[in-house]
Amino acid sequence: MEPIRITKGDFLKNAGIVGMYNMLHVLNAREGEEGDFWLDEEEQVLCISSEFALNADWTDMYFKAFVKIYGPMCTYQEIINRIEKCKGVIEKGDGIEKNSSIKDDLKYITDKMLSNSYKSGFANIRDRIKNPEVYENLKSKKINVKMEPDEILKRLSELEDFLEQPLCRETFCMKSIIYNYINRFWNGKSFLLRANAAKDMREMFEKDFSKPLKDYLQKSHEKAKEYCIECNTLIDSKEKISIAFMNDMADDLSRKRSAFWNCKVDAYICPLCAYLYALVPLGFRLVGNKFVFQNIDYNIKALTAVNKTGKVVLQESAKHSEEKYTTWVARTLNTIFELKIKELNNIPVILRGTNAEDTYIFNILYKDILNVLKDDKIMEYLEKLSEHPNVKIKNDFLNVYESSIENLINYNNQYRLINRLIKASIETESILSRAVLVFKIQITTFIIMQGEGDNTEMNVWSMRNSGYELRKAILAAKGEKSDECMRGTIYRLTNALSVGNTERFMDMIIRLYTSMSNKKANGAKENKELIIPNGFVDMLQDREKFNQYGYAFILGLKGSHYVSKEENENG
């Protein structure tokens, strides 16, 4: 039989394709043309073996994939974590009264376990699990700090054993996943239909998604007269499914028909596309407090690679859930560059918040920024920043790596960040290495975007050389080895740069050079004559050159020649 070929479509269908790929991947389906599924790069489609599709348990795969991918991040896992934490405190004999958090942990455990969704889940599996009385006891007598430590330990151990049963894990995980993740993308159907809330989740999904899919794949549609609006394949009138269950896609089509020609609704999809839409939550990645998806629709290999979910382990999952958007962008772009796609196009990035009222937000990573990010020098500087990304400025921590990437993808220059880092380096010398790297990113970005190469770079580093020569002269004249004697000067120069005050900046520069000339005239030893660089004249009428040359000069004055030799050596 011919394999099932799933073609790309809009961003939701593409997310569903990625969700299908992720599901088959984490469940160890065989990938390859002789296996269960594969990517046809020539025709840009996802192929699934017909034999595999007809024999697969689509409901079982759906539930297992969601538990594997989202399980480590859901309420169920947090309950397990807090049970282990409380048991550890009691077993150490530290005393419950000495640990202020144990009361909150016990309350969290009992409140979540006795929530309405967990109660309905337990009711469905009560006759198929061991020791259901553990949950019944929890309902009749909650665990609290007023109990004896031995009793608390015994109850928590029983509850942990109860929860670790495979069916309990799946049921309680899915209850959390359904109401925190899945319903952000679709609702009002299957187990998310209000009337089905207390019914068995697997039975509802089988009835509304899996069985229609199996029947559709087994049936011939030569005489069918209607078409799926998504993939344009023929479907029977009894097979068509309303797209209204997808959030923000359509109203209830059985009630609101006025948007269609002659009020005849034709926005129906086939069972295969409906199943793909149900997999959309697996196509998006949870990054921080947002679901994100890169819709690289011109290359199916890149589409699946950048949105791919690996076989999740708890620590890695938690790491990604706390990850910031900018870090995720950088990480996934590295995947794109590794694929060595000949022609990069704009990449739409779709975001959706984790709150129920959030809607889709559409961003674009433009082609010119992608070309900047894949530049060898930019990648080298970013990689160095990623090794030691955080710096402490007063009482706050700043992630320089994320901030520089955020500036790039939002078309902002790096000068505000450079200014802040230089000021911070006055107190903490090690921060200067980050300022140098960010400055190099800014200059390289300007050269790539404007096409002004050798002259710009040569002039910039010439200005840094001039700043460094002035630094040596000042320290020699004052008999100092550190630049503490220049702190006030550097601070005032960076302030003048930040507000674009060329007059103030040049006034201080002229005073510095004049004072050095006077000291030389009065007998100070200096081998090299100090001359005000011509670059200061060029920058008076050009704001970009004012920033480039000004910060280059200050970095030299601050001693970045020495720092650049050992950049990031000590973090």
Side-chain angles (χ1 to χ4, degrees):
M1 293 178 66
E2 285 292 316
I4 298 163
R5 310 176 77 81
I6 304 175
T7 58
K8 301 190 302 295
D10 63 7
F11 79 93
L12 278 178
K13 186 180 181 185
N14 289 346
I17 290 172
V18 173
M20 174 73 79
Y21 182 89
N22 286 338
M23 179 179 75
L24 297 173
H25 175 69
V26 300
L27 296 180
N28 296 317
R30 295 174 302 140
E31 186 172 1
E33 292 189 22
E34 301 299 321
D36 302 323
F37 72 106
W38 65 94
L39 298 174
D40 187 329
E41 293 188 62
E42 184 176 342
E43 296 190 21
Q44 293 293 301
V45 294
L46 171 64
C47 299
I48 300 175
S49 161
S50 294
E51 182 181 358
F52 173 81
L54 293 173
N55 293 311
D57 186 338
W58 291 100
T59 298
D60 186 63
M61 289 196 299
Y62 187 89
F63 277 68
K64 284 182 177 177
F66 270 93
V67 171
K68 273 202 170 190
I69 292 171
Y70 281 112
M73 295 176 266
C74 71
T75 304
Y76 169 89
Q77 187 60 51
E78 183 62 20
I79 291 172
I80 294 292
N81 293 343
R82 297 203 184 201
I83 288 175
E84 291 176 350
K85 177 184 172 184
C86 292
K87 285 174 62 181
V89 171
I90 297 171
E91 287 170 349
K92 284 181 181 178
D94 294 339
I96 297 175
E97 64 281 352
K98 293 182 181 179
N99 193 304
S100 58
S101 66
I102 196 167
K103 180 179 179 181
D104 294 333
D105 290 335
L106 291 176
K107 185 177 187 304
Y108 179 92
I109 292 166
T110 53
D111 287 351
K112 295 299 181 183
M113 286 300 303
L114 298 178
S115 64
N116 290 334
S117 61
Y118 274 42
K119 285 179 179 178
S120 65
F122 171 74
N124 288 321
I125 62 172
R126 185 203 318 253
D127 299 331
R128 292 178 283 159
I129 56 174
K130 297 178 181 178
N131 303 319
E133 65 276 4
V134 172
Y135 191 82
E136 299 287 3
N137 291 341
L138 186 65
K139 288 197 288 186
S140 59
K141 187 179 180 182
K142 297 180 180 179
I143 306 172
N144 59 73
V145 291
K146 295 180 180 179
M147 295 177 172
E148 291 295 321
D150 289 343
E151 184 181 359
I152 295 175
L153 184 61
K154 178 176 178 293
R155 294 281 303 274
L156 289 176
S157 298
E158 290 175 347
L159 182 59
E160 186 175 22
D161 291 340
F162 169 79
L163 288 172
E164 287 178 347
Q165 295 179 77
L167 188 54
C168 286
R169 172 176 166 75
E170 179 187 282
T171 301
F172 294 131
C173 273
M174 281 303 292
K175 283 296 183 180
S176 299
I177 293 166
I178 284 170
Y179 295 112
N180 289 287
Y181 303 120
I182 295 178
N183 72 344
R184 301 301 185 259
F185 298 93
W186 60 270
N187 216 327
K189 187 175 179 69
S190 185
F191 45 64
L192 280 169
L193 184 64
R194 184 165 295 183
N196 296 336
K199 297 179 181 179
D200 186 276
M201 294 178 289
R202 277 180 171 254
E203 289 180 6
M204 292 300 100
F205 191 84
E206 179 74 23
K207 174 187 173 185
D208 289 338
F209 288 103
S210 300
K211 188 177 186 304
L213 173 60
K214 277 276 190 77
D215 294 343
Y216 171 75
L217 295 177
Q218 292 173 337
K219 189 176 180 181
S220 172
H221 294 87
E222 292 179 359
K223 297 181 180 179
K225 296 180 179 180
E226 301 199 40
Y227 290 88
C228 169
I229 64 164
E230 185 56 65
C231 64
N232 205 37
T233 56
L234 288 166
I235 51 175
D236 287 336
S237 57
K238 293 182 180 179
E239 293 175 325
K240 63 185 184 181
I241 298 170
S242 169
I243 200 173
F245 74 96
M246 295 302 296
N247 293 346
D248 306 325
M249 289 296 290
D251 295 315
D252 187 343
L253 302 183
S254 63
R255 299 180 182 180
K256 296 185 179 181
R257 300 169 175 264
S258 58
F260 298 89
W261 178 255
N262 284 339
C263 295
K264 185 178 179 181
V265 178
D266 59 359
Y268 294 108
I269 54 178
C270 66
L272 177 56
C273 287
Y275 191 91
L276 288 173
Y277 278 150
L279 284 169
V280 165
L282 289 186
F284 279 71
R285 295 294 303 275
L286 184 60
V287 178
N289 62 348
K290 291 182 177 66
F291 296 100
V292 291
F293 177 70
Q294 285 191 17
N295 189 27
I296 308 177
D297 59 355
Y298 55 85
N299 188 301
I300 195 166
K301 185 177 181 181
L303 177 72
T304 53
V306 299
N307 297 294
K308 183 177 180 179
T309 299
K311 294 175 175 61
V312 178
V313 295
L314 180 58
Q315 294 85 353
E316 189 69 13
S317 175
K319 176 184 173 183
H320 285 168
S321 68
E322 295 169 1
E323 189 175 41
K324 285 193 176 182
Y325 172 62
T326 48
T327 310
W328 173 81
V329 168
R331 185 166 51 80
T332 54
L333 285 177
N334 284 338
T335 303
I336 296 172
F337 301 148
E338 287 170 5
L339 294 174
K340 297 181 180 178
I341 298 171
K342 292 182 179 179
E343 185 66 26
L344 288 174
N345 296 323
N346 296 344
I347 299 178
V349 179
I350 296 91
L351 303 94
R352 190 180 185 102
T354 52
N355 296 321
E357 66 275 9
D358 290 331
T359 56
Y360 291 109
I361 300 171
F362 297 86
N363 288 345
I364 295 178
L365 294 175
Y366 290 98
K367 180 179 178 179
D368 51 358
I369 292 299
L370 294 176
N371 288 328
V372 169
L373 288 167
K374 76 170 186 176
D375 179 80
D376 290 341
K377 287 185 178 179
I378 295 290
M379 292 180 75
E380 177 191 345
Y381 303 149
L382 287 174
E383 185 177 351
K384 287 182 179 179
L385 281 177
S386 69
E387 292 171 5
H388 304 283
N390 296 308
V391 297
K392 187 175 183 180
I393 301 177
K394 295 182 179 179
N395 295 323
D396 297 324
F397 282 93
L398 172 67
N399 190 311
V400 182
Y401 173 69
E402 288 182 357
S403 298
S404 57
I405 291 177
E406 187 173 11
N407 286 334
L408 283 170
I409 63 179
N410 290 329
Y411 282 84
N412 295 328
N413 62 50
Q414 307 283 355
Y415 294 126
R416 182 177 293 182
L417 177 59
I418 296 166
N419 192 287
R420 187 177 180 188
L421 292 171
I422 290 175
K423 287 179 178 177
S425 72
I426 294 172
E427 298 293 335
T428 308
E429 188 69 30
S430 62
I431 294 177
L432 186 61
S433 63
R434 278 45 158 231
V436 173
L437 286 170
V438 177
F439 182 72
K440 287 180 177 180
I441 290 171
Q442 172 59 35
I443 296 302
T444 307
T445 301
F446 177 81
I447 291 170
I448 295 170
M449 299 286 279
Q450 302 298 324
E452 300 179 16
D454 296 338
N455 287 338
T456 297
E457 195 164 12
M458 181 176 65
N459 292 338
V460 165
W461 301 130
S462 175
M463 292 298 293
R464 186 171 78 161
N465 293 342
S466 297
Y468 190 66
E469 291 300 324
L470 180 61
R471 169 192 174 87
K472 290 196 297 183
I474 292 173
L475 293 180
K478 296 189 176 185
E480 299 286 347
K481 292 186 177 181
S482 72
D483 59 8
E484 288 190 15
C485 59
M486 297 190 295
R487 285 186 171 191
T489 301
I490 293 170
Y491 194 85
R492 289 191 295 273
L493 284 170
T494 54
N495 278 342
L497 268 176
S498 66
V499 297
N501 191 333
T502 55
E503 292 182 4
R504 178 64 175 157
F505 185 86
M506 287 306 302
D507 179 65
M508 286 184 281
I509 292 295
I510 292 170
R511 287 174 182 271
L512 284 172
Y513 275 94
T514 303
S515 66
M516 286 298 98
S517 298
N518 291 338
K519 285 179 180 178
K520 184 177 180 183
N522 292 331
K525 293 182 179 180
E526 177 62 51
N527 296 326
K528 188 174 181 180
E529 184 178 357
L530 289 174
I531 301 173
I532 298 179
N534 292 331
F536 284 125
V537 178
D538 298 332
M539 73 185 215
L540 292 176
Q541 302 299 322
D542 189 324
R543 180 61 185 268
E544 182 61 34
K545 286 184 178 178
F546 177 59
N547 283 318
Q548 289 177 358
Y549 295 177
Y551 281 112
F553 186 85
I554 292 175
L555 286 171
L557 192 63
K558 188 69 184 70
S560 68
H561 269 49
Y562 171 75
V563 172
S564 63
K565 293 177 183 177
E566 304 176 357
E567 270 174 7
N568 288 344
E569 197 169 88
N570 300 314

